Amino acid sequence: MAISKKDLEFNKNDDAMRMKISQLERELQKIYLGGGKKKIEKHHSKGKLTARERIDMLLDKGTDSFEVAALAGKGMYEEYGGCPSGGVVIKIGYVSGRQCIVVANDATVKAGAWFPITGKKNLRAQEIAMDNKLPIIYLVDSAGVFLPMQDEIFPDKEHFGRIFRNNAVMSSEGITQIAAVMGSCVAGGAYLPIMSDESLIVNKTGTIFLAGSYLVKAAIGESIDNETLGGATTHNEISGVCDYKPENDEECLETIRDLMSQIGDAESAGFNRTEPVKPKKNVKDIYGILPKDRTKPYDVKEIIKCLVDDSKFTEYKKDYGQTIVTAYARIDGWSVGIVANQRLISKSGKGEMQFGGVIYSDSADKAARFIMTCNQKNIPLVFLQDVSGFMVGSKSEHGGIIKDGAKMVSAMANSVVPKFTVVMGNSYGAGNYAMCGKAYDPRLIVAWPTAELAVMSGAAAAKTLLQIEVASLKAKGEKITEEKEKQMFDEIKNRYDEQISPYYAASRVWVDAIIDPVETRKVIAMGIEAANLKPAEKKYNVGVIQT
């Protein structure tokens, strides 16, 4: 039986996606080793579990979890030997049946010292906790700020000190914070345990002090060992800084599980949920549907069928503004409103051809209205991004594309229901903003391995920059051959392509994770469950821009 052209294309796409997923898995396996096998062995020799081992022991067995920013720091700080995962592991999961977020310093990476990306990643964890009123557990094992880069981590608004400001704010909002000191906890970091609701310190392993014994000797001439200065006995029997003194990591984690089991029920935001139903369509069909060539069209409705319960959705304004699909559906039982870029070439109501992946005035208007309706109905929003930007040219400008785009951005930015963003493919220019990019506070934002985030595509940027560079060289009297021009184009494109890679975005925590598309349902469902812990604090009001 002959294979059809459609099947052949599907198989090529499937192979390309599986290759990208294999690459992702290889990258993650390297990152999971933290500072390396030798550092892990040294850590174990002290009777200590690694950050990942601690989290695995703490979380309920057999339950879902989601790691935030595992790729943070990738390719950064190489002059200092790198900083895998930013030197800290963060997971959303379940402890004694209660969903929470766990932050664990990885002491195998520069003794758990804080690089700039470490601070950014920790602040993202606290942001998730505050956005969702989610309990947060800190497993502390850190040497403090990485001194060679102290100017980039210490004094600014989004630096190290912001963490303690957030501790205080979360306390005032009734968000449970538990800190376990399972290694070093020094200098400014020493405030973390006392600013949490309850604190534990492991006997003979954990230490807390503003200054260690060497600095104390240098500063005031006092000779004292670290254990006497700030060990578990000191802080449980003398200072009263800590509340519990477990004998080892295992007892410490079991005590945390016991403390979590006694927390009262949280208030609900009232999002609708029914019994979950698996999609009729195989979720792995996404691999073959999403084109290997990112310029080719495909029907995003087929992607949606792979993600939603029973592969069923109700499309809003189906025949209007067709370059965006808006639809009601359920994901793992949760009611959601989906806003997805459509990459099929279609006809507008006026019979005009519209290019897929581009936001036109009518699609922006439709999306804005849908977002407002979901807010009125208290339905969380899911944005599926594969967007080239807003339509350009005199016809669009004269038709008010800027005004219509502003309506969509305003409706989305003022949304009070939680928003979740999946970057499936392109995420270019103002399209990134309108489709709820990182700047617009999605509760979670994840990318597939096929994602690209930038002002424009690598090819478009290279052509633009090449024109400028060639004009500049010609103005200086230089002759540019075709061969030279191609070389210049390739150099510019290769440099730009590195920056639009999802790994570049993930290393800087512009996205919370790169995930296998198969994980999308789980991530969104866990995100809505977390969001359901915190009712909206204000009514939906889009402002005068919508009038």
Side-chain angles (χ1 to χ4, degrees):
M1 182 177 176
I3 298 176
S4 70
K5 186 177 179 181
K6 185 177 179 182
D7 288 339
L8 189 61
E9 196 68 29
F10 184 96
N11 291 339
K12 285 181 179 178
N13 295 338
D14 185 273
D15 288 344
M17 177 66 90
R18 289 178 188 273
M19 289 285 286
K20 287 181 180 292
I21 292 168
S22 293
Q23 179 192 356
L24 173 62
E25 289 171 351
R26 288 193 299 272
E27 293 290 348
L28 289 173
Q29 287 305 316
K30 286 189 286 185
I31 284 166
Y32 293 160
L33 289 174
K37 290 181 179 179
K38 287 185 178 179
K39 290 285 180 68
I40 292 172
E41 288 170 6
K42 186 177 179 181
H43 197 75
H44 285 163
S45 71
K46 298 176 183 177
K48 297 163 68 175
L49 300 171
T50 65
R52 293 184 181 279
E53 288 168 342
R54 286 166 176 169
I55 293 176
D56 288 346
M57 186 171 286
L58 180 63
L59 296 180
D60 295 347
K61 299 294 180 286
T63 59
D64 286 335
S65 64
F66 169 60
E67 183 166 352
V68 177
L71 291 156
K74 176 178 162 54
M76 300 167 70
Y77 316 120
E78 291 181 353
E79 66 273 33
Y80 298 113
C83 186
S85 210
V88 63
V89 182
I90 297 171
K91 283 192 179 183
I92 300 172
Y94 301 85
V95 176
S96 298
R98 167 79 63 174
Q99 193 179 34
C100 60
I101 187 162
V102 184
V103 181
N105 300 113
D106 186 350
T108 70
V109 179
K110 295 288 188 298
W114 287 58
F115 285 72
I117 198 66
T118 318
K120 185 172 185 178
K121 186 170 171 178
N122 274 265
L123 289 171
R124 177 61 180 143
Q126 289 186 319
E127 181 181 35
I128 291 170
M130 289 188 286
D131 282 347
N132 301 290
K133 211 165 184 179
L134 202 61
I136 185 166
I137 298 168
Y138 308 98
L139 306 181
V140 184
D141 194 349
S142 171
V145 167
F146 185 64
L147 289 177
M149 301 191 75
Q150 65 84 28
D151 61 320
E152 296 183 45
I153 184 62
F154 170 65
D156 209 348
K157 181 178 178 181
E158 299 301 328
H159 284 177
F160 191 71
R162 187 76 173 180
I163 287 167
F164 311 122
R165 174 263 184 195
N166 289 347
N167 288 142
V169 170
M170 283 191 279
S171 181
S172 71
E173 293 178 353
I175 299 171
T176 297
Q177 300 176 83
I178 297 172
V181 180
M182 308 178 80
S184 297
C185 182
V186 301
Y191 288 103
L192 182 70
I194 202 62
M195 296 192 77
S196 297
D197 301 312
E198 293 181 283
S199 61
L200 309 86
I201 180 168
V202 178
N203 195 26
K204 305 299 182 183
T205 302
T207 52
I208 305 171
F209 33 64
L210 293 179
S213 56
Y214 292 123
L215 186 53
V216 168
K217 177 68 174 176
I220 63 173
E222 181 184 3
S223 296
I224 189 170
D225 64 89
N226 283 339
E227 183 65 28
T228 307
L229 180 65
T233 299
T234 295
H235 286 308
N236 276 272
E237 297 181 13
I238 301 172
S239 72
V241 165
C242 293
D243 308 305
Y244 307 93
K245 188 177 77 170
E247 288 301 314
N248 50 47
D249 280 12
E250 290 82 359
E251 185 183 332
C252 179
L253 297 169
E254 190 56 43
T255 304
I256 295 171
R257 289 182 55 79
D258 184 54
L259 295 174
M260 287 292 295
S261 72
Q262 299 179 52
I263 298 174
D265 290 341
E267 194 177 357
S268 170
F271 303 132
N272 184 265
R273 192 181 195 188
T274 57
E275 189 68 28
V277 179
K278 289 185 178 180
K280 283 182 179 177
K281 198 173 179 71
N282 188 340
V283 68
K284 287 190 176 180
D285 281 356
I286 290 172
Y287 298 173
I289 295 167
L290 205 65
K292 175 183 175 182
D293 180 348
R294 299 299 307 114
T295 63
K296 286 189 175 180
Y298 65 93
D299 189 352
V300 77
K301 295 177 190 178
E302 295 304 308
I303 297 280
I304 295 172
K305 288 176 185 176
C306 295
L307 296 175
V308 302
D309 289 16
D310 204 30
S311 298
K312 179 182 175 183
F313 58 90
T314 303
E315 196 170 348
Y316 171 85
K317 289 186 180 290
K318 178 181 178 181
D319 299 319
Y320 178 67
Q322 293 182 46
T323 63
I324 284 183
V325 172
T326 48
Y328 298 109
R330 290 187 181 275
I331 293 179
D332 201 41
W334 293 103
S335 171
V336 296
I338 294 173
V339 181
N341 300 114
Q342 175 61 288
R343 292 196 65 86
L344 284 179
I345 296 173
S346 62
K347 283 189 176 182
S348 70
K350 300 173 184 177
E352 301 160 335
M353 296 305 295
Q354 293 190 335
F355 296 100
V358 180
I359 302 175
Y360 288 77
S361 286
D362 55 356
S363 48
D365 173 62
K366 175 172 84 170
R369 291 172 182 270
F370 181 70
I371 289 165
M372 287 188 279
T373 301
C374 285
N375 273 271
Q376 184 185 43
K377 293 180 174 182
N378 198 29
I379 299 174
L381 288 159
V382 175
F383 292 84
L384 302 179
Q385 282 195 11
D386 193 353
V387 58
S388 303
F390 285 88
M391 190 59 189
V392 296
S394 60
K395 189 169 185 179
S396 292
E397 299 293 359
H398 297 170
I401 185 68
I402 295 174
K403 173 172 58 72
D404 291 320
K407 287 180 181 179
M408 180 179 174
V409 171
S410 182
M412 181 272 301
N414 284 291
S415 180
V416 297
V417 295
K419 299 168 290 195
F420 301 89
T421 302
V422 180
V423 186
M424 306 184 301
N426 302 340
S427 181
Y428 298 153
N432 168 281
Y433 298 162
M435 291 294 293
C436 195
K438 183 66 180 290
Y440 292 85
D441 298 324
R443 296 293 177 96
L444 292 173
I445 176 170
V446 295
W448 291 352
T450 43
E452 294 184 353
L453 291 85
V455 172
M456 60 182 77
S457 71
K463 286 175 185 175
T464 304
L465 293 170
L466 179 66
Q467 289 175 22
I468 296 168
E469 201 164 321
V470 167
S472 175
L473 291 172
K474 284 182 176 178
K476 294 175 183 176
E478 292 189 35
K479 187 177 179 181
I480 308 297
T481 64
E482 276 190 35
E483 186 180 346
K484 174 67 175 174
E485 191 168 320
K486 183 182 183 305
Q487 181 187 344
M488 289 169 63
F489 175 84
D490 289 342
E491 287 174 358
I492 295 169
K493 186 176 183 300
N494 289 340
R495 186 171 67 245
Y496 200 87
D497 282 346
E498 181 186 348
Q499 294 179 356
I500 68 177
S501 157
Y503 290 96
Y504 194 89
S507 71
R508 288 152 181 80
V509 200
W510 298 346
V511 295
D512 291 317
I514 303 175
I515 64 168
D516 183 333
V518 169
E519 298 290 300
T520 306
R521 276 174 55 86
K522 180 191 82 172
V523 172
I524 292 172
M526 288 185 70
I528 297 174
E529 183 181 349
N532 200 39
L533 298 172
K534 186 177 181 181
E537 295 174 343
K538 60 180 181 178
K539 292 183 178 180
Y540 185 61
N541 186 353
V542 293
V544 296
I545 200 167
Q546 292 294 335
T547 59

